[in-house]
């Protein structure tokens, strides 16, 4: 798959990922369906909500990031 940058139009985006180093994290960030809802302790409510891994690509020319939620996490 040859992606192009939506900011500058260049081709050949570099793959990477958005790191999550918080407590109980898997090391990568996820996209969660629906608006943010907070629980009684201030954390996000996540039960029974679909979660997707975030695929990230960086433009080698202008450094713009392109993010895609592609696979269920």
């Amino acid at each position: 798959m040859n992606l192009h940058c939506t900011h500058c139009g260049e081709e050949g985006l570099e793959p990477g990922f958005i790191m999550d180093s918080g407590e109980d994290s898997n090391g990568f960030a996820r996209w969660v369906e629906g608006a943010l809802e907070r629980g009684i302790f201030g954390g996000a409510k996540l039960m029974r909500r679909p979660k997707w891994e975030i695929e990230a690509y960086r433009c080698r020319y202008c450094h713009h990031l392109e993010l895609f939620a592609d696979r269920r996490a």
Side-chain angles (χ1 to χ4, degrees):
M1 175 167 61
N2 193 17
L3 300 172
H4 73 278
C5 178
T6 59
H7 185 71
C8 74
E10 291 291 335
E11 292 188 7
L13 298 180
E14 180 177 32
F17 66 97
I18 306 297
M19 184 175 77
D20 180 359
S21 58
E23 287 185 39
D24 299 322
S25 76
N26 292 327
F28 58 91
R30 292 170 296 217
W31 179 84
V32 179
E33 186 177 296
L36 173 63
E37 295 179 44
R38 296 187 185 272
I40 59 173
F41 298 110
K45 290 184 178 180
L46 301 173
M47 294 291 288
R48 297 183 298 272
R49 297 177 75 177
K51 299 167 193 70
W52 295 69
E53 289 182 15
I54 297 173
E55 292 185 358
Y57 297 86
R58 182 182 68 89
C59 178
R60 296 173 189 193
Y61 301 96
C62 74
H63 311 291
H64 176 76
L65 293 179
E66 298 281 344
L67 304 176
F68 298 91
D70 195 24
R71 290 173 282 207
R72 292 187 185 262

